[in-house]
Amino acid sequence: MSCPLKITDDWYSVFDNSEIVGATFKDLRKALDTVDHSLLCGKFEGYGVQNDELRWFVSYLAGRKQFYRVNGTDSQVNAVDIGVPQGSCLGPLLFLVYINDLPKVVENCTVAMYADDTGLYYRGTSLAQLNEIINKDLESLEHWLKGNKLSLNVVKTVSTKSYLVKSIRRY
């Protein structure tokens, strides 16, 4: 089931049971550009990737360089020691390996992830309960983000309560 479809289905269940839902949707700032290579390789090791396979990933990420061209003028060539190659076949996969452990730090909320977008939502019976539970999980998420050298794009981050989305109708 796709992420938006699962969220919609879960929320219909909430409303059918006369509960309320609180949600927050997070967008990671420059997510693919800020992947720490040593942390990523450590995560590969945690999945059992080792020896030649691990060295291959290290080699793939190491020694990259980039420059910018603006109006026909080139910048200096600089080493790139963070981030995953965008536009490559492996870039999205490497990023997914990097963030795959994020749901493990969230204790109470349901986590819905799609690329660099993450949604947390919790169903309950009172706004006070929603506020307490979601804020606790957001603290855990903040700690995970700092530990993984990622940050939120606050412009694209949204929070809502179910009274704003109760107007969803089944067709």
Side-chain angles (χ1 to χ4, degrees), residues 28 34 36 39 43 98 102 105 138-152:
L28 299 178
T34 57
D36 182 278
L39 290 174
K43 291 178 187 227
Y98 195 70
L102 183 153
V105 302
L138 286 174
E139 287 177 15
S140 298
L141 176 62
E142 179 183 20
H143 181 71
W144 182 90
L145 289 168
K146 286 180 182 177
N148 286 276
K149 301 180 180 178
L150 295 171
S151 60
L152 294 178

Side-chain angles (χ1 to χ4, degrees), residues 12-164:
Y12 278 139
S13 173
V14 168
F15 300 139
D16 287 346
N17 292 316
S18 299
E19 295 176 304
I20 56 176
V21 65
T24 181
F25 299 94
K26 308 296 181 191
D27 180 78
L28 299 178
R29 184 167 49 94
K30 299 188 180 247
L32 291 150
D33 294 332
T34 57
V35 170
D36 182 278
H37 294 172
S38 61
L39 290 174
L40 175 60
C41 290
K43 291 178 187 227
F44 271 119
E45 287 179 292
Y47 288 118
V49 177
Q50 54 188 339
N51 303 321
D52 288 342
E53 292 81 13
L54 183 60
R55 282 190 291 277
W56 185 89
F57 281 108
V58 170
S59 173
Y60 179 77
L61 294 168
R64 293 189 170 274
K65 298 184 184 304
Q66 72 180 15
F67 73 95
Y68 300 96
R69 177 172 290 147
V70 178
N71 296 328
T73 303
D74 295 344
S75 71
Q76 287 184 285
V77 176
N78 294 307
V80 178
D81 56 359
I82 62 169
V84 294
Q86 295 183 41
S88 69
C89 294
L90 280 180
L93 174 66
L94 295 172
F95 179 71
L96 291 176
V97 168
Y98 195 70
I99 65 166
N100 193 49
D101 59 339
L102 183 153
K104 293 178 185 176
V105 302
V106 176
E107 293 181 28
N108 301 293
C109 292
T110 299
V111 179
M113 295 172 37
Y114 183 79
D116 62 344
D117 297 319
T118 301
L120 300 173
Y121 58 97
Y122 186 78
R123 64 191 295 166
T125 56
S126 74
L127 291 177
Q129 177 193 34
L130 294 178
N131 191 46
E132 179 183 338
I133 297 292
I134 292 172
N135 281 327
K136 181 180 178 197
D137 281 350
L138 286 174
E139 287 177 15
S140 298
L141 176 62
E142 179 183 20
H143 181 71
W144 182 90
L145 289 168
K146 286 180 182 177
N148 286 276
K149 301 180 180 178
L150 295 171
S151 60
L152 294 178
N153 180 345
V154 292
V155 173
K156 293 183 178 180
T157 295
V158 178
S159 293
T160 187
K161 294 180 181 76
S162 65
Y163 60 84
L164 297 176

